[in-house]
Amino acid sequence: MKAKLSRKKIVGASAGIIVVAVVAGYVFWGRQATAEEFLTAKVERGAIKNTVAATGTLQAVTTVQVGSQVSGTISALFADFNSNVRKGQVVAQLDPAIFQAQVASARANLESARANLSDAQARVMAARSVVENQRAGVSSANANLAALRAQRDDAQNQLNRQESLAASGIVPERDLETARTSFRSAEARYNQASAQVEQARLSEQSSAGAGMAQADAQVKQAQAQVQQSTASVQLAEVNLSHTTIKSPIDGVVVSRNVDVGQTVAASLSAPTLFTIANDLTQMQVIANIDQADIGVINQENRVNFTVDAFAGESFAGAIKQIRLNPQNVQNVVTYNVVIDVKNPNLKLKPGMTANLTMTIAERANVLKISNAAFRFRPAGMTQEEIRGLVRGGAASKEGARKDEKADGQAAPAAAGKPGAEKTDVKPEADKSTGQRGGERAGRSAGGAAPSAGAPGQGSLPVGTAPAEGQSRIVWVLGSDNKPQLRRARVGITDGTATELQEGELKEGDVVIVGQNVSGDRAQSATQRPPGFGGTQGGFGGGGRPGGGGNTGGPRR
């Protein structure tokens, strides 16, 4: 019995060992089969363009809406859609009957006012005649008064002589009394004439003051009525002329909004009858440019656009004006940019949507690298470790050159293993070259903006979108198939690839843009906090729990 139990234990133990060995082998070979694989791209030479995309609407440079200033019924139309018209050409006619009657009535009122003016002027002439007669009476009374004054003076002299002679006893007393009577009579006539002169003068002043003033007032009133009636006639004639609708410019009729027999009512605003475009061989596009891009737009930029009506055909334009008036729609601020477009063949139509591409900068025959290379970070490597490699790489550059001469091959600036060449190294001073662009790029990537510096200086941006003039780091595959860090100063970007201005890369180098990781490492990657290669953005997207993932993030 004991022997049988021992055999059973041995068999069981052997079976267990076999199972463990099988499981271990499966796990080992399974992991080898799903070992790390890197997604790569080559550094290539070619052309690259930095562009700004926008949309706008094609429209004529000058578009005039032809309306009616008076109300009435359309009696005739002399233009239709697409009609070519000249300035001053009649395009529509309203029924003029009502306005012709108003003109006749205004002219009759004008004639009546002119008749009243003539009557008032006649009364003025009569008043002036009366005044002249009264003035003649005053003159006659003055002449009579002068004659009576002379008679009185003569009687006075006769009386004085008679009194002198009577005192000498030469003349009798009777002659003296006769002289006195003659003097008194002459003096009475003189006083009477003086009173008549005063009465005539007062009568003249009364007639000239009241009568003439009243007559003059009537004349002025009649003149004002004539002027008012003249203005009424002119207004009626203008309204009558407005029943004939004329084109204000040379152009083509884009739209017609009325038909014959339709009544138009002009109250607070003139109803639009036609829309006339001045010259469709010269058009313009009003483009809405986001405030983030308006800073790089200027009149030197080359503009190309397409329209859906002519697929595959590109049209050219020129920036004419960048308007300062901001447009705020749901907290989105844009600016209007006016783009002139030549349309000699009249292929472009008003209202078409133009898909614009504005070339901000363009480089030919330059090195370019995929933008995904800037977002890649080796799995399991933290941002602090990468920064340590950046600082250590600057200090160990001379040593790397010596190793290159000794081994006959280039030594990487920093090893791909965490913590390699980062001890006992003093980091150089961090400078702010390109920092503003790095901050903006970092914000657009959804994370904080790390500091930037020139090649070999301080820390470099990691995982953010590239900005012109910045120094960035990328990873290449070494001879041991491990990631190795490289530095590069970047230029312009088209959103997919970026220009390499200078650095440690050359044409044909293979850079890492992504990494497929095994299930357990992908699981650990998803548990890191955001910004460290997790699933919520940061510097390279994380893997999926329980399966392979791509740490290079989405390609732009």
Side-chain angles (χ1 to χ4, degrees):
M1 293 294 293
K2 290 182 178 181
K4 290 181 179 180
L5 290 176
S6 298
R7 276 198 225 84
K8 289 182 179 180
K9 290 181 180 180
I10 293 172
V11 171
S14 299
I17 293 172
I18 293 172
V19 171
V20 171
V22 171
V23 171
Y26 173 79
V27 172
F28 175 77
W29 293 109
R31 286 191 178 183
Q32 290 296 323
T34 59
E36 297 175 349
E37 294 180 358
F38 295 100
L39 304 178
T40 60
K42 283 187 178 183
V43 176
E44 300 175 343
R45 185 172 294 277
I48 190 169
K49 291 194 300 184
N50 183 9
T51 61
V52 172
T55 59
T57 302
L58 278 162
Q59 61 185 35
V61 176
T62 302
T63 302
V64 178
Q65 293 181 341
V66 181
S68 173
Q69 294 182 333
V70 296
S71 302
T73 303
I74 302 293
S75 60
L77 290 175
F78 303 101
D80 203 350
F81 289 94
N82 301 338
S83 296
N84 291 317
V85 295
R86 306 292 295 177
K87 182 177 180 179
Q89 177 181 338
V90 177
V91 294
Q93 178 67 54
L94 298 179
D95 186 3
I98 296 177
F99 300 97
Q100 289 172 347
Q102 291 176 353
V103 170
S105 176
R107 287 176 178 171
N109 292 335
L110 175 60
E111 294 300 325
S112 176
R114 287 174 177 172
N116 292 335
L117 176 60
S118 299
D119 183 62
Q121 289 174 343
R123 286 196 294 268
V124 168
M125 296 300 295
R128 286 178 180 175
S129 177
V130 172
V131 171
E132 292 297 330
N133 291 334
Q134 289 176 347
R135 287 177 179 173
V138 170
S139 298
S140 176
N142 285 329
N144 186 36
L145 180 61
L148 292 175
R149 184 185 296 111
Q151 292 177 3
R152 186 196 65 178
D153 293 341
D154 182 64
Q156 179 71 40
N157 293 332
Q158 290 292 333
L159 176 61
N160 291 336
R161 283 195 297 270
Q162 291 296 329
E163 287 178 347
S164 176
L165 293 173
S168 301
I170 298 176
V171 297
E173 185 67 25
R174 184 179 176 196
D175 292 340
L176 179 60
E177 291 296 331
T178 301
R180 287 176 178 171
T181 302
S182 298
F183 171 72
R184 291 190 185 100
S185 177
E187 185 177 23
R189 289 195 299 272
Y190 173 79
N191 291 335
Q192 182 181 7
S194 177
Q196 290 176 351
V197 168
E198 185 65 24
Q199 182 179 2
R201 185 179 295 109
L202 292 175
S203 178
E204 178 197 3
Q205 292 177 352
S206 176
S207 298
M212 287 299 298
Q214 183 178 3
D216 289 340
Q218 291 176 351
V219 169
K220 291 179 180 179
Q221 182 179 3
Q223 291 175 343
Q225 289 178 351
V226 169
Q227 292 177 352
Q228 183 177 2
S229 298
T230 302
S232 298
V233 171
Q234 293 175 349
L235 178 60
E237 289 176 346
V238 169
N239 288 336
L240 177 61
S241 67
H242 286 163
T243 59
T244 301
I245 311 299
K246 299 180 180 180
S247 173
I249 59 173
D250 296 341
V252 59
V253 177
V254 178
S255 67
R256 173 178 59 82
N257 303 324
V258 293
D259 293 307
V260 175
Q262 183 175 343
T263 301
V264 294
S267 54
L268 298 179
S269 60
T272 301
L273 308 182
F274 299 91
T275 300
I276 300 178
N278 184 15
D279 183 11
L280 292 183
T281 61
Q282 299 290 333
M283 302 186 72
Q284 65 183 11
V285 179
I286 306 298
N288 294 324
I289 305 299
D290 189 84
Q291 62 176 335
D293 297 323
I294 196 65
V296 298
I297 301 297
N298 57 68
Q299 294 184 346
E300 302 299 327
N301 298 145
R302 189 174 76 254
V303 180
N304 296 92
F305 67 93
T306 60
V307 294
D308 294 339
F310 303 100
E313 185 172 357
S314 179
F315 300 88
I319 296 178
K320 176 184 179 181
Q321 184 183 52
I322 301 175
R323 294 179 178 172
L324 301 178
N325 184 31
Q327 308 293 324
N328 192 332
V329 179
Q330 295 181 353
N331 293 330
V332 176
V333 179
T334 59
Y335 291 86
N336 287 340
V337 176
V338 182
I339 301 167
D340 284 342
V341 177
K342 293 183 178 180
N343 186 30
N345 299 325
L346 300 179
K347 296 178 68 174
L348 300 175
K349 305 296 187 292
M352 285 184 173
T353 299
N355 302 308
L356 298 150
T357 300
M358 303 180 186
T359 302
I360 308 304
E362 187 173 6
R363 305 282 192 274
N365 194 27
V366 297
L367 291 179
K368 58 181 182 179
I369 184 174
S370 173
N371 283 357
F374 300 113
R375 296 191 296 270
F376 170 74
R377 181 172 59 83
M381 184 174 292
T382 65
Q383 183 180 3
E384 288 75 10
E385 292 173 340
I386 296 176
R387 294 187 186 277
L389 290 177
V390 172
R391 300 188 189 99
S396 62
K397 190 173 183 180
E398 186 65 27
R401 290 175 179 172
K402 294 179 180 180
D403 293 341
E404 179 180 358
K405 293 179 180 179
D407 299 337
Q409 59 182 4
K417 297 181 180 180
E421 296 185 10
K422 69 174 182 177
T423 58
D424 300 329
V425 177
K426 294 182 180 180
E428 298 183 9
D430 187 9
K431 298 185 179 181
S432 59
T433 304
Q435 182 173 359
R436 184 174 182 181
E439 290 176 355
R440 177 175 170 184
R443 286 193 295 270
S444 65
S451 60
Q457 293 179 342
S459 59
L460 303 176
V462 179
T464 58
E468 185 175 1
Q470 277 191 336
S471 293
R472 304 302 301 272
I473 63 172
V474 295
W475 300 86
V476 301
L477 279 178
S479 59
D480 57 352
N481 291 329
K482 297 295 184 182
Q484 295 179 356
L485 182 145
R486 293 288 186 270
R487 311 162 189 269
R489 179 187 289 275
V490 299
I492 64 173
T493 179
D494 60 4
T496 301
T498 299
E499 174 195 7
L500 290 177
Q501 293 181 340
E502 60 182 40
E504 303 170 352
L505 294 172
K506 62 182 181 300
E507 184 177 0
D509 284 350
V510 177
V511 296
I512 304 175
V513 297
Q515 181 179 4
N516 292 325
V517 298
S518 57
D520 54 346
R521 298 193 65 179
Q523 177 67 28
S524 62
T526 59
Q527 295 174 356
R528 296 193 186 100
F532 292 89
T535 59
Q536 302 183 28
F539 309 136
R544 295 185 301 271
N550 184 355
T551 63
R555 298 189 182 182
R556 294 180 61 183

